[in-house]
């Protein structure tokens, strides 16, 4: 789920923005995983915004979430 959040950031304008919750949470199970990650402090949710000023339910990794994602990626690359 951390990787899904990172890989699906909204890219309107000149920089990446919060990921749409609806894009990474397709069902109730995904939503429960997202809620668990929030409770563990790896992800935060809130309002995201488009370049046009429209708001949406967004999510993003916290510094702790970035660290966890980096550890997972490093573990996969070790023999």
């Amino acid at each position: 789920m951390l990787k899904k959040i990172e890989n699906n950031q909204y890219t309107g304008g000149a920089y990446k923005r919060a990921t749409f919750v609806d894009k990474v949470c397709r069902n109730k199970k995904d939503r429960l995983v997202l809620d668990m990650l929030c409770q563990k402090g790896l992800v935060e949710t809130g309002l995201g915004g488009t370049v046009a000023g429209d708001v949406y339910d967004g999510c993003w990794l916290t510094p702790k979430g970035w660290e966890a994602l980096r550890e997972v990626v490093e573990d996969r690359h070790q023999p």
Side-chain angles (χ1 to χ4, degrees), residues 4-33:
K4 280 174 70 174
I5 292 169
E6 166 58 18
N7 289 342
N8 289 292
Q9 287 180 321
Y10 176 68
T11 55
Y15 57 93
K16 291 184 177 183
R17 298 168 184 266
T19 301
F20 282 83
V21 169
D22 291 341
K23 191 159 188 162
V24 294
C25 293
R26 302 287 186 176
N27 54 47
K28 287 184 181 181
K29 182 180 173 187
D30 289 342
R31 186 58 196 217
L32 289 172
V33 171

Side-chain angles (χ1 to χ4, degrees), residues 2 9-11 21 24 30 32 35-37 45-46 54 64 72:
L2 296 175
Q9 287 180 321
Y10 176 68
T11 55
V21 169
V24 294
D30 289 342
L32 289 172
D35 291 343
M36 181 203 61
L37 292 172
T45 60
D54 299 321
K64 188 176 174 182
V72 169

Side-chain angles (χ1 to χ4, degrees), residues 36-54:
M36 181 203 61
L37 292 172
C38 288
Q39 290 173 11
K40 291 183 180 242
L42 299 171
V43 175
E44 292 180 342
T45 60
L47 291 179
T50 66
V51 176
D54 299 321

